[in-house]
Amino acid sequence: MKKWKIGLSLILLLAGTMVFLLNYQTDEKKVASYVKEKYGEDSRIIDSRCDDCKKQKHNRIYTVQLTDQPFEVFEVWTNKKMIRLEVEGDNYAMGEPLKSFNSDLSHSKESDELKLYGFNKIHVTRFYDADDSGVLEEPFVHDGNVALFLYDENQGDPGEKLLASAPVINAVNQELSSTGDMLAWVYVIEHSDYQTVHNNDMDGYMDAMKQAKRVNIKDLLKAEDEEDIRESLVNGNTN
């Protein structure tokens, strides 16, 4: 009888373990489920960091990217206790002022002036800079910087056009300061890549950004000639 009870206990324990494993969500899946439930969007994790891991508090921050909107990047804050991950919140709302700003920018005189230089579809975004330190070995890691995206209708050296449009870009930057943000980078992307960047073709998206050119806003605004800008231009992704 005793052996029978032990055997039954082991069977129940094994069955319980199997049910737990079938229903257990990994930390990454739990974050994805949180984003799906709160915002109705699929997402992917592109970075994570643990600010207080050395203190054994296990406060981890995940940087997520919406699958269908790769330019929508925000952080999800979690706290891991033992094996249970608790989602504490996110900073998705931080991007709302930029959405409102872009709506105004699309109908602004600055937008019209930049079109004269061959730049179209302009918008600002909280972007993620090139880095190779992501835990998931992604080429981009979120750094919270804000970038101005300019889609160039005319291929060729963007130095001359950037120099000419620098005063307009500076005006955009000054207007942006009303939201509490300032530009860190200006990206020049081929106009033909617009749909790729704004759709969920991640391979194409990363390839397009590798071909893009970027310049630090400080370097752009202090440039005295086209050569200064050419020397400051770097690839959109250095990896």
Side-chain angles (χ1 to χ4, degrees):
M1 181 67 71
K2 188 175 180 180
K3 291 183 178 179
W4 178 82
K5 289 183 177 180
I6 293 175
L8 179 60
S9 297
L10 290 174
I11 292 173
L12 291 174
L13 178 61
L14 179 61
T17 301
M18 292 180 64
V19 170
F20 172 79
L21 291 174
L22 288 172
N23 290 280
Y24 177 75
Q25 286 186 312
T26 64
D27 293 351
E28 290 77 9
K29 286 185 177 179
K30 192 163 186 176
V31 171
S33 295
Y34 165 83
V35 174
K36 183 69 172 181
E37 181 178 347
K38 187 171 183 180
Y39 299 110
E41 299 281 355
D42 292 326
S43 62
R44 61 197 294 267
I45 293 174
I46 60 173
D47 185 32
S48 72
R49 66 181 189 272
C50 194
D51 291 345
D52 293 316
C53 281
K54 292 182 180 179
K55 299 178 182 179
Q56 301 302 313
K57 292 184 179 179
H58 302 290
N59 293 325
R60 183 168 290 279
I61 298 174
Y62 290 88
T63 303
V64 300
Q65 179 183 52
L66 298 187
T67 305
D68 291 335
Q69 303 177 68
F71 49 90
E72 292 283 1
V73 177
F74 59 98
E75 295 176 340
V76 175
W77 309 312
T78 68
N79 188 19
K80 190 166 187 179
K81 299 178 180 179
M82 298 297 288
I83 63 171
R84 179 178 176 82
L85 185 80
E86 297 179 356
V87 178
E88 298 181 332
D90 63 79
N91 63 357
Y92 179 85
M94 189 172 63
E96 294 302 315
L98 295 186
K99 293 179 183 178
S100 178
F101 181 82
N102 279 324
S103 178
D104 294 338
L105 180 62
S106 64
H107 302 97
S108 67
K109 66 176 183 178
E110 287 82 8
S111 178
D112 292 338
E113 290 173 354
L114 288 170
K115 287 178 182 177
L116 296 176
Y117 297 110
F119 297 132
N120 208 337
K121 306 287 187 182
I122 66 170
H123 70 277
V124 296
T125 182
R126 193 171 302 282
F127 199 58
Y128 32 102
D129 199 0
D131 201 317
D132 59 1
S133 61
V135 293
L136 300 183
E137 299 182 353
E138 292 291 344
F140 297 113
V141 176
H142 184 58
D143 61 8
N145 283 330
V146 176
L148 175 67
F149 278 22
L150 304 174
Y151 290 87
D152 192 0
E153 294 184 317
N154 305 313
Q155 295 182 358
D157 185 358
E160 180 179 356
K161 290 185 292 184
L162 280 172
L163 181 66
S165 60
V168 184
I169 295 173
N170 186 41
V172 172
N173 196 27
Q174 294 303 312
E175 290 290 335
L176 179 63
S177 66
S178 66
T179 69
D181 277 309
M182 296 292 286
L183 292 177
W185 296 95
V186 176
Y187 277 75
V188 179
I189 307 167
E190 289 188 12
H191 189 268
S192 59
D193 286 330
Y194 176 79
Q195 291 299 329
T196 299
V197 171
H198 284 259
N199 287 330
N200 62 345
D201 178 4
M202 292 309 303
D203 290 336
Y205 171 75
M206 288 188 287
D207 287 341
M209 295 312 298
K210 288 178 182 179
Q211 301 301 318
K213 297 294 183 181
R214 62 177 176 146
V215 61
N216 186 285
I217 185 67
K218 294 179 180 178
D219 290 335
L220 173 62
L221 297 182
K222 72 180 182 181
E224 296 181 355
D225 52 38
E226 297 172 25
E227 189 59 33
D228 286 343
I229 294 180
R230 292 191 187 99
E231 291 178 355
S232 300
L233 281 172
V234 293
N235 291 333
N237 173 23
T238 57
N239 292 283

